[in-house]
Amino acid sequence: METYRIAAIGGDGIGPEVVEEGLRVLRHIEKADGTFSFQVTSFPWGCEYYLKTGQMMPPDGMEQLKGFDAIYLGAVGAPGVPDHVSLWDLLLRIRKGFDQYVNLRPVKLLKGAPCPLKDVKREDIDMIVVRENSEGEYAGAGDHLFPGTDREVVLQTGVFSRHGCQRVIRYAFELARQKGKTLTNITKSNALNYSMVFWDEMFREVAKEYPDVKTQSFLVDAASMFFVKDPGRFQVVVTSNLFGDILTDLGAAISGGMGLAAGANLNPEKKYPSMFEPIHGSAPDIAGKGIANPLAAIWSVSQMLDFFGKPQWGEKVLAAIEKLLEEGKYLTPDMGGTATTSQVADRLLTLL
Ligand code: NAI
Ligand code: MG
C-alpha cells in the first residue's frame, strides 16, 4: 500500500483549528479508498514556539521535514512577534529551502460561493494562477546603508534568472497544455525595463516549445482591471512573485473570499516536500472561538490529493465543498452562517 508522509504544522491562532479539520478529511478519504494511507506527524512550530524558544522552528527543523512527501501548514503569526520574523523564519525558509518555486492558486468561483462582482457569470471565474515563488521581487536581496543618517539608502533588488523564469513559465505551459487551456503572461515590461523585459523574453523562448498552447500577455495594471471587469479572459496565468501575491488576493476576493482561498507551494520535481496551506492568516481576532472557516484548509487538502496523483479525490473534495456552499446551511459566521468549525467539517464529511 502506498503511504504518504505528511508533516502537519498547525502554527498559530486559527491555524491548528483548521488543520485539524483538514486532517479529518484526509483520514476519511484514506478509509473510504483503502488503497493508500497517510502517515501524519505534527510539529508544534510557530510564534508560540518562538516566544518560548526564541526560534520559529528548531535549528534542524528543515532536516526533520526533508523526508516528508508534503507539509500541511495552517498559518503563522501572533501579536508580539514581528510579522517579518514569522514569515522569513518559517514560511519563507521552507519555501526557499525546499525550492518550492511554483505557487499554485486556484481562482474558481464555486456554486453557492459569494462573489462581490455584478455582471459576471460564475463560469467566467475559473483560473489557475502560477506564481513564481523563489526569486523575483521577494528574493531578499538588498541593503540598508547609513541607517538613521541623512545619507540613509535602502536597496531592494529584484532577482530574475534564466533558470528561475524558465522553469516556472515551463510549468505553466505544461499545465495549460495538459488542461487544454490558454496561458496568460502578466508582467510590467513598460516600466520595469530590465527584469520584466527579460521575463517576457523568457516567456517567448519557452513558448516556442508549446505551439499548441494559445497565449496572451497583459501588463499587471490592466490585468487587475480585467480580473474585476472581465475575469473570463483568464484560464492559466503565469506571473512573478510580487504580482502573483497581489493578484491572487484579488483572485481570492472575487472567488468567495479568504475563507475559501488555498495555495500550494510546489517543488514539482519532488526532490523536496511541497507545502499546502490556506492563504489566510492566523486570525487572532477569532482564534480559540471555534468559528474559523475550515474550507480554505480543506481546499488545500484537495490540492494535496491532486499533487499525490489522486485527482479523483481532489475533485470529490471540491465537489463536497461546492455542495456544502449550495446548501448554505452549515457555514461559519464569516460566510453569514452560525455553524462552528467542526460542524462545517462534519457536514463536509457526510457530503463526501
Ligand atoms: P488574517 O487572514 O489572519 O485575517 C484577516 C481577517 O479575515 C480577520 O478578520 C480574520 O478574522 C478573517 N479570517 C481569516 N481567515 C479566516 C477564516 N478561516 N475563517 C474566518 N475568518 C477568517 O490576516 P491578518 O489579520 O492580516 O493577519 C493576522 C496574522 O496572520 C498576522 O500575524 C499575519 O502576519 C499572519 N498571516 C499569516 C499568513 C500565513 O501564515 N500564510 C498569511 C497572512 C497573514
Ligand atoms: Mg499574500
Side-chain angles (χ1 to χ4, degrees):
M1 189 150 82
E2 284 165 286
T3 298
Y4 297 96
R5 296 191 61 210
I6 299 169
I9 306 176
D12 307 299
I14 64 168
E17 303 173 29
V18 297
V19 158
E20 190 186 314
E21 305 303 337
L23 292 176
R24 277 174 68 202
V25 175
L26 282 173
R27 270 182 235 118
H28 180 90
I29 289 171
E30 165 184 72
K31 237 204 251 155
D33 187 283
T35 67
F36 55 86
S37 67
F38 301 109
Q39 191 187 324
V40 179
T41 310
S42 294
F43 295 89
W45 304 339
C47 290
E48 283 166 40
Y49 186 87
Y50 176 90
L51 291 171
K52 275 185 245 146
T53 65
Q55 289 164 325
M56 291 293 292
M57 63 160 96
D60 69 343
M62 294 295 285
E63 204 52 45
Q64 291 190 44
L65 293 176
K66 221 166 81 185
F68 287 87
D69 296 302
I71 299 163
Y72 185 34
L73 183 97
V76 288
V81 181
D83 281 345
H84 68 269
V85 170
S86 51
L87 186 68
W88 276 94
D89 291 357
L90 189 82
L91 260 181
L92 291 184
R93 218 169 128 201
I94 294 174
R95 283 184 188 169
K96 284 173 191 291
F98 289 153
D99 206 16
Q100 295 168 345
Y101 64 85
V102 170
N103 187 257
L104 200 63
R105 292 205 185 163
V107 176
K108 180 178 165 71
L109 185 62
L110 300 181
K111 283 181 212 150
C115 177
L117 304 181
K118 296 185 293 170
D119 313 327
V120 168
K121 289 204 297 285
R122 183 181 53 76
E123 309 79 55
D124 281 347
I125 304 181
D126 187 1
M127 50 178 128
I128 306 178
V129 180
V130 178
R131 162 185 167 194
E132 204 291 318
N133 211 30
S134 67
E135 51 176 41
E137 307 87 343
Y138 294 177
D143 212 335
H144 186 169
L145 303 172
F146 316 117
T149 72
D150 53 8
R151 296 168 65 202
E152 187 162 19
V153 173
V154 299
L155 302 167
Q156 185 90 46
T157 306
V159 174
F160 292 81
S161 67
R162 167 172 286 273
H163 175 69
C165 295
Q166 288 211 353
R167 63 183 182 173
V168 72
I169 290 169
R170 186 166 284 111
Y171 181 90
F173 268 106
E174 287 290 336
L175 191 65
R177 170 180 278 171
Q178 178 206 323
K179 296 198 175 285
K181 305 230 170 178
T182 63
L183 176 61
T184 303
N185 177 38
I186 298 179
T187 59
K188 183 71 186 172
S189 23
N190 54 346
L192 297 170
N193 53 339
Y194 297 106
S195 57
M196 289 295 154
V197 168
F198 179 70
W199 175 291
D200 281 348
E201 248 172 66
M202 295 300 102
F203 186 84
R204 280 192 298 272
E205 249 182 68
V206 177
K208 287 191 196 129
E209 299 165 35
Y210 299 87
D212 52 310
V213 175
K214 214 175 141 225
T215 65
Q216 55 180 354
S217 287
F218 289 112
L219 299 176
V220 66
D221 39 359
S224 18
M225 191 254 306
F226 287 130
F227 260 51
V228 171
K229 288 302 240 182
D230 190 12
R233 287 173 186 245
F234 303 98
Q235 295 183 351
V236 178
V237 170
V238 67
T239 190
S240 71
N241 211 333
L242 166 68
F243 296 164
D245 188 8
I246 299 168
L247 282 173
T248 50
D249 266 28
L250 181 54
I254 63 171
S255 60
M258 282 308 209
L260 275 176
N265 303 277
L266 304 181
N267 175 254
E269 292 76 27
K270 306 197 176 177
K271 187 173 169 205
Y272 303 106
S274 291
M275 179 163 66
F276 300 82
E277 53 172 336
I279 78 173
H280 60 71
S282 54
D285 53 336
I286 58 162
K289 297 188 177 151
I291 54 165
N293 188 345
L295 293 177
I298 292 173
W299 194 324
S300 33
V301 163
S302 157
Q303 284 195 294
M304 196 191 301
L305 291 160
D306 287 347
F307 187 71
F308 285 159
K310 314 280 175 217
Q312 65 286 13
W313 279 110
E315 276 158 34
K316 275 186 190 157
V317 171
L318 216 50
I321 296 177
E322 193 159 44
K323 263 192 223 143
L324 185 135
L325 292 170
E326 271 188 297
E327 284 181 349
K329 277 197 221 143
Y330 297 87
L331 299 175
T332 42
D334 59 300
M335 298 198 113
T338 55
T340 63
T341 308
S342 53
Q343 282 169 342
V344 173
D346 288 345
R347 183 62 192 163
L348 187 116
L349 291 183
T350 308
L351 293 169
L352 189 64

